[in-house]
Amino acid sequence: MKSLISRTSVLCFLTFYLSGCSILKTQEEPINDSTVDASILHEHHMVLIDNIEQFALTGRLGVMTNPKGFSGRVAWQHTPDKDNIDVFSPLGGKVANIIKTNEEVVLTNSKDEHIAAPDTETLTEETLGFRLPLNGLSYWALGRPSNTGLVEYVTWDENGRINQLKQNDWDIQYLDYEVNEGYFLPKKIVLRTDELIIKLIVEKWSDIQTR
């Protein structure tokens, strides 16, 4: 794994190098300078992304598992206290709504039945046929490690953005990023375990709020 530079040193360097003033910019800009080490850019990117605590996204979701898979669309609203996810079929019908709070996780299916479980992975496996790792996904979707669980490895590209991550038995690959509201955020993500592959293509980021 690439060695990490202390956050304090990185911030001091980037404050001088990137902005030329005493206040670090709160949004990213493309940096086309091969003399800036990728590890420094990575720290800069992580500092900014770590400040995001709320977002919304819409996109496409594909799941490959045995014995069945799933493809459709997803609309997700994340706040520090609540996740609200709508899952749609390829034809646009709502398959499920998942609401996760600090106290419980409840799935409402197409028959308007309410099903609760102690965690999202158990709930989605029992009702949808696949595990949705929502606790970690709220971090991984932004292109950063979760705040819980051992990071087995992480690599990043020449711009400092994570391209591979392994955490909590999930192998995560980032295939593309794009600028959204001033932040470089993932556009194509593939998550793998031995039994499951989840592909998330984000078509739109919105409602990005920071601490």
Side-chain angles (χ1 to χ4, degrees):
M1 184 187 303
K2 298 182 176 70
S3 62
L4 297 180
I5 300 175
S6 71
R7 181 155 297 181
T8 301
S9 300
V10 170
L11 285 175
C12 291
F13 174 83
L14 286 168
T15 299
F16 173 79
Y17 188 91
L18 299 177
S19 66
C21 63
S22 61
I23 300 176
L24 185 66
K25 294 181 180 180
T26 58
Q27 294 186 338
E28 292 186 82
E29 295 179 0
I31 301 172
N32 298 313
D33 190 335
S34 60
T35 65
V36 182
D37 189 89
S39 62
I40 295 176
L41 297 180
H42 173 67
E43 283 292 318
H44 172 56
H45 175 69
M46 288 293 100
V47 167
L48 297 180
I49 295 301
D50 283 347
N51 283 327
I52 297 175
E53 64 175 4
Q54 179 171 318
F55 63 81
L57 67 81
T58 57
R60 288 176 282 159
L61 183 68
V63 179
M64 289 177 281
T65 184
N66 190 14
K68 61 181 180 179
F70 172 84
S71 64
R73 304 189 67 82
V74 62
W76 179 9
Q77 175 73 53
H78 170 79
T79 70
D81 302 317
K82 183 178 180 181
D83 286 282
N84 190 332
I85 299 180
D86 288 322
V87 181
F88 301 91
S89 72
L91 298 178
K94 185 182 290 189
V95 175
N97 169 258
I98 303 168
I99 294 180
K100 174 185 174 296
T101 65
N102 295 328
E103 291 75 32
E104 63 179 355
V105 183
V106 178
L107 182 145
T108 304
N109 62 22
S110 58
K111 299 178 182 178
D112 204 32
E113 298 170 330
H114 303 284
I115 306 162
D119 60 79
T120 309
E121 293 195 11
T122 300
L123 179 63
T124 54
E125 187 166 28
E126 291 178 351
T127 56
L128 301 178
F130 62 88
R131 294 185 296 129
L132 185 66
L134 191 54
N135 285 336
L137 195 58
S138 62
Y139 293 86
W140 300 333
L142 292 168
R144 69 189 189 192
S146 169
N147 67 344
T148 59
L150 176 67
V151 176
E152 295 187 38
Y153 66 78
V154 58
T155 64
W156 50 83
D157 62 21
E158 67 276 9
N159 295 307
R161 298 156 207 153
I162 292 177
N163 51 26
Q164 288 186 311
L165 167 67
K166 185 169 185 179
Q167 186 178 25
N168 301 340
D169 297 324
W170 287 90
D171 287 292
I172 305 153
Q173 185 177 16
Y174 297 90
L175 304 179
D176 195 12
Y177 284 81
E178 67 178 4
V179 180
N180 294 270
E181 299 187 23
Y183 299 91
F184 284 93
L185 297 175
K187 183 176 177 63
K188 296 180 182 179
I189 311 168
V190 180
L191 304 96
R192 290 184 172 89
T193 67
D194 292 338
E195 300 86 18
L196 179 63
I197 299 176
I198 298 176
K199 294 182 179 181
L200 175 63
I201 299 177
V202 181
E203 296 175 338
K204 182 180 179 181
W205 289 93
S206 60
D207 196 24
I208 296 171
Q209 298 186 28
T210 58
R211 295 184 182 88

